[in-house]
Amino acid sequence: GMAPLPVSINISPRQFNQPDLASNIGAALRRHGLDPALLEIEITENCLARDRKKFLHTLAEMRALGLRLSIDDFGSGYSNMDYLKSMHFSSLKIDRAFIASIEEGGKPRALYRALISLAHNLSLVVVAEGVETQRQVDFLCDIGCDLIQGYHFSMPLRAVEFAALRTGQTL
């Protein structure tokens, strides 16, 4: 009874290298009558470092389906800026290990400001993962982070608990 929500799904390097990944995702979307624009595929930097030609081909197939694509755990792997400018991702998810260093102040905070500015200049939505404190939330909001996720807001929930949280009901 709720309005459709966008959903993000992580794809492992092993899954990403499966033949016909995009066509299998497309078939599942059609079978369940789901709008591809509501599905975001999160791809870790480890996927990016493998066979570039195959990687680009699979990304193009996914984009043709109408899926949104995100670089997940950015900053935990290769962090090649070429991926940001040439791969047509819709969002950038900053790894939670990076987020923890916000509490330190100084250079890590300057790095976040620069990273968010760069991502926004490339028309990317920035998502901070693993946020656990109000101080982290305040800083990320102050510097223009688009979306924030983590235990600060909620531990993982069962579907019924999530529905209650979303609709403001109590269980």
Side-chain angles (χ1 to χ4, degrees), residues 1 5 9 11-12 14 44-45 50 60 67 70-71 78 84 91 95 107 110 112 119 137 149 159:
L5 284 173
I9 297 176
I11 300 290
S12 73
R14 183 176 179 194
T44 64
E45 290 183 79
R50 296 179 184 227
L67 303 174
S70 176
I71 298 178
Y78 299 96
L84 294 179
S91 64
D95 185 67
K107 287 184 182 181
Y112 287 113
V137 171
Q149 67 183 53

Side-chain angles (χ1 to χ4, degrees), residues 2-165:
M2 290 187 284
L5 284 173
V7 174
S8 296
I9 297 176
N10 289 80
I11 300 290
S12 73
R14 183 176 179 194
Q15 291 170 310
F16 193 84
N17 287 314
Q18 291 177 351
D20 302 322
L21 173 65
S23 61
N24 289 338
I25 292 172
L29 290 168
R30 288 186 298 279
R31 184 171 53 251
H32 297 286
L34 299 174
D35 179 358
L38 293 175
L39 180 60
E40 181 171 69
I41 301 296
E42 297 180 1
I43 303 163
T44 64
E45 290 183 79
N46 294 334
C47 291
L48 307 176
R50 296 179 184 227
D51 181 351
R52 185 178 174 96
K53 185 176 179 181
K54 181 183 181 327
F55 177 78
L56 292 172
H57 178 73
T58 302
L59 283 184
E61 289 179 323
M62 289 181 176
R63 278 194 308 276
L65 289 173
L67 303 174
R68 294 183 336 222
L69 303 171
S70 176
I71 298 178
D72 193 23
D73 298 335
F74 189 80
S76 65
Y78 299 96
S79 300
N80 187 331
M81 294 299 167
D82 183 52
Y83 300 136
L84 294 179
K85 70 177 174 115
S86 64
M87 304 276 180
H88 307 287
F89 287 98
S90 57
S91 64
L92 174 76
K93 295 187 82 173
I94 302 171
D95 185 67
R96 60 190 270 159
F98 246 10
I99 298 303
S101 69
I102 286 175
E103 302 287 341
E104 297 170 18
K107 287 184 182 181
R109 287 176 169 238
L111 180 61
Y112 287 113
R113 283 187 182 89
L115 181 56
I116 289 173
S117 177
L118 172 67
H120 285 164
N121 283 321
L122 294 171
S123 300
L124 296 170
V125 172
V126 180
V127 181
E129 297 182 307
V131 174
E132 296 181 356
T133 69
Q134 186 62 46
R135 189 173 174 192
Q136 291 169 339
V137 171
D138 293 343
F139 174 72
L140 290 163
C141 287
D142 286 347
I143 63 170
C145 186
D146 301 299
L147 299 170
I148 302 170
Q149 67 183 53
Y151 290 167
H152 177 73
F153 302 103
S154 176
M155 299 296 275
L157 300 172
R158 295 180 317 204
V160 67
E161 294 168 327
F162 173 75
L165 176 69

